[in-house]
């Protein structure tokens, strides 16, 4: 510990130094003759405690004290006023400006040493406190950094889980798109044949008009030309084509619409969503979109029935809710398909509302979940599926989305051999600042 003694009297300086040395205090001592000298000394030397005379020529002890305390670099130094005056005013001012103690002159050794020791103790505590605070601040910084990393990892995992889900669905979705695309393409082919026939008939009509314009033609010739055209129309089945055209176009538009919807659902689902992006959506619509994506996985083995009540749109992040529904529905589909049973499975999807919540129930008659497994299904990375089939993140992400991000609830009820019900509750009137 470094102690600086500042006094204009050399005698006082020497006495103070001697007493400290005699008492073998664990410290280095430096001496300064004036306020200015002391301030200069501080620049470049480490000082823990200053013993500061109040009355000095030039800068007074209180002036020096003020300068030290107003300097960020030195303001933690412990300052003890060193004074022969008993004027309370000067002491009061010293304490107001940050002095911690005072000692009287002439020095009374016992008291003097006791004060110095106490100042040294205090300084030691303060230093160790500061050290601890620094450690805590560092740890805190580290925690903030870790937390940020964790959030990024979690975001990455959510995106990864989505990509895996898309991967699992890709073949099915491609198939779902391929079907309408198939009949759109064959309809277009038929349409182009029809158009060819129309062109032929149009050509004949145009020729007729040209001949009529050509004044030399007789009525008899015109009638036979018209007859010829009518016969041709019959041969080309133009009446049937006109009827078929409407059906063909309407089917084609329906097909294009389906492809559009599937692509839209996929896009909604795959989007790298902005975590904060919430707007009003119909849960029923999100269910419909999700079913478009899962259709191919279920259509040969499962009947999916919807019982969707009229429910209000709610403030939610559509991509996230879509992700939850897709996972819960796919879990049910995979559970049923995993049984390889003879008869078709069933999934019933219900929506309903009460005063505060919208409830969506997804009930399957699959194998059910055993008690020991049931406790773990919301844990990250818990999966009973074979390697490469499931990451085990689906339900933990779903839980986070429903409970933390949307202030709702997701629960499960299951009986082995009978089936499983997932119940998702979402608040109708959620404050947009909740998530
Ligand atoms: N409807 C269900 N019927 C039977 N078991 C289910 C059902 N839903 C979930 N589970 C069980 O819960 C586990 C965890 O589901 P979760 O969705 O979290 O992960 P996963 O489906 O295995 O993998 P991922 O969703 O990442 O592809 C599943 O592996 C399965 O054992
Ligand atoms: Mg899953």
């Amino acid at each position: 510990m470094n102690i600086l003694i500042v006094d204009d009297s050399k005698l006082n300086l020497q006495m103070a130094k001697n007493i400290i040395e005699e008492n073998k205090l664990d410290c280095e001592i430096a001496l300064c003759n004036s306020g200015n000298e002391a301030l200069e000394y501080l620049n470049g030397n480490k000082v823990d405690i200053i013993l500061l005379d109040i009355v000095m020529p030039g800068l007074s002890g209180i002036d020096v004290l003020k300068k030290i305390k107003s300097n960020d670099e030195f303001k933690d130094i412990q300052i003890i006023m060193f004074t022969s005056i008993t004027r309370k005013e000067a002491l009061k001012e010293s304490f107001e400006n940050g002095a911690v103690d005072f000692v009287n002159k002439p020095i009374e050794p016992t008291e003097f040493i006791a004060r110095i020791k106490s100042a040294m103790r205090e300084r030691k505590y303060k230093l160790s406190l500061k050290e601890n605070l620094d450690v805590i601040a560092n740890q805190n910084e580290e925690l903030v950094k870790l937390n940020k990393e964790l959030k990024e990892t979690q975001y990455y995992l959510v995106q990864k889980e989505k990509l895996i889900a898309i991967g699992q669905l890709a073949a099915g979705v491609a198939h779902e798109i391929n079907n309408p695309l198939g009949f759109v393409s064959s309809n277009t082919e038929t349409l182009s044949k029809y158009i060819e026939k129309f062109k032929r008939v149009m050509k004949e009509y145009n020729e007729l008009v040209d001949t009529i314009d050509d004044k030399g033609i007789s009525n008899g010739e015109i009638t036979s030309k018209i007859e010829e055209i009518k016969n041709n129309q019959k041969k080309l089945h133009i009446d049937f084509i006109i009827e078929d055209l409407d059906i063909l176009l309407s089917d084609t538009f329906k097909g294009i619409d389906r492809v559009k919807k599937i692509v839209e659902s996929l896009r909604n689902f795959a989007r790298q969503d902005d975590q904060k992006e919430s707007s009003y959506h119909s849960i029923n619509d999100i269910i419909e979109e999700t079913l478009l994506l899962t259709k191919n996985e279920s259509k040969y083995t499962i009947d999916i029935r919807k019982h969707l009540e009229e429910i209000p749109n709610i403030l939610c992040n559509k991509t996230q809710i879509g992700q939850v529904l897709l996972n819960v529905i796919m879990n049910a589909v995979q559970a049923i398909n995993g049984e390889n049973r003879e008869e078709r499975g069933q999934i019933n999807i219900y929506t309903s509302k009460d005063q505060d919540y919208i409830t969506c129930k997804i009930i399957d008659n699959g194998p059910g979940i055993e008690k020991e497994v049931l406790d773990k299904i919301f844990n990250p990375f818990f999966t009973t599926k074979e390697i490469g089939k499931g990451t085990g993140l689906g339900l933990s992400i779903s839980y986070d989305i429903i409970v933390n991000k949307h202030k709702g609830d997701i629960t499960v009820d299951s009986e082995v051999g009978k089936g499983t019900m997932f119940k998702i509750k979402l608040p109708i009137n959620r404050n947009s600042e909740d998530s």
Side-chain angles (χ1 to χ4, degrees), residues 308-373:
L308 310 181
E309 271 182 25
E310 214 170 281
I311 49 174
N313 289 358
I314 58 163
L315 186 65
C316 64
N317 182 315
K318 188 177 178 191
T319 319
Q320 291 178 354
I321 298 297
Q323 189 173 4
V324 172
L325 289 168
L326 183 71
N327 180 57
V328 175
I329 294 170
M330 277 307 286
N331 280 350
V333 168
Q334 288 167 344
I336 292 173
N337 285 347
E339 289 185 301
N340 289 324
R341 58 206 213 177
E342 304 257 293
E343 79 282 16
R344 287 172 75 81
Q346 294 211 346
I347 298 176
N348 282 289
I349 303 176
Y350 295 83
T351 53
S352 60
K353 64 162 195 285
D354 62 22
Q355 179 123 3
D356 301 318
Y357 288 93
I358 279 177
T359 302
C360 171
K361 289 182 195 162
I362 293 151
I363 304 174
D364 68 67
N365 68 347
I369 307 170
E370 291 185 22
K371 275 258 165 318
E372 309 78 72
V373 173

Side-chain angles (χ1 to χ4, degrees), residues 161 168 326-328 330-331 334 383 385 390-395:
E161 162 79 8
Q168 287 172 352
L326 183 71
N327 180 57
V328 175
M330 277 307 286
N331 280 350
Q334 288 167 344
T383 180
K385 290 166 194 168
T391 61
L393 278 172
L395 283 175

Side-chain angles (χ1 to χ4, degrees), residues 10-161:
K10 287 225 165 77
L11 186 70
N12 279 339
L13 285 177
Q14 206 48 55
M15 262 183 76
K17 186 174 184 229
N18 289 347
I19 294 173
I20 293 172
E21 278 172 357
E22 277 162 20
N23 281 275
K24 298 195 169 60
L25 297 189
D26 183 16
C27 60
E28 301 292 325
I29 301 166
L31 305 176
C32 283
N33 241 163
S34 71
N36 274 328
E37 200 185 314
L39 291 174
E40 249 169 56
Y41 179 84
L42 285 182
N43 287 314
N45 291 292
K46 193 176 163 299
V47 173
D48 297 294
I49 297 169
I50 301 177
L51 208 58
L52 185 60
D53 186 15
I54 294 186
V55 183
M56 292 185 288
L59 284 179
S60 77
I62 291 178
D63 293 335
V64 177
L65 172 70
K66 283 181 186 165
K67 280 189 192 296
I68 292 173
K69 289 293 168 185
S70 63
N71 184 325
D72 273 352
E73 203 184 329
F74 307 133
K75 70 177 190 318
D76 290 337
I77 297 175
Q78 305 265 111
I79 299 183
I80 303 173
M81 303 315 281
F82 193 23
T83 174
S84 54
I85 54 166
T86 44
R87 266 195 307 132
K88 292 234 165 60
E89 277 309 303
L91 281 179
K92 190 170 168 249
E93 201 182 349
S94 304
F95 285 127
E96 278 169 1
N97 283 290
V100 289
D101 206 351
F102 70 97
V103 284
N104 285 311
K105 287 191 282 191
I107 296 172
E108 198 287 299
T110 316
E111 181 202 349
F112 180 76
I113 286 301
R115 292 263 159 97
I116 300 282
K117 273 185 179 168
S118 140
M120 284 173 74
R121 251 194 323 270
E122 198 176 330
R123 176 70 179 159
K124 219 172 174 177
Y125 288 143
K126 275 194 181 156
L127 284 176
S128 97
L129 192 68
K130 188 169 175 304
E131 213 168 274
N132 285 337
L133 282 176
D134 284 349
V135 171
I136 290 173
N138 279 342
Q139 282 174 344
N140 202 26
E141 203 174 298
E142 189 77 359
L143 278 177
V144 170
K145 207 171 112 210
L146 278 176
N147 202 19
K148 189 167 163 263
E149 275 173 23
L150 207 64
K151 276 209 173 118
E152 279 166 6
T153 312
Q154 195 195 20
Y155 182 68
Y156 164 77
L157 282 176
V158 172
Q159 292 306 330
K160 193 172 162 208
E161 162 79 8

Side-chain angles (χ1 to χ4, degrees), residues 127 186 197 405:
L127 284 176
S186 104
K197 289 180 179 176
K405 301 214 162 72

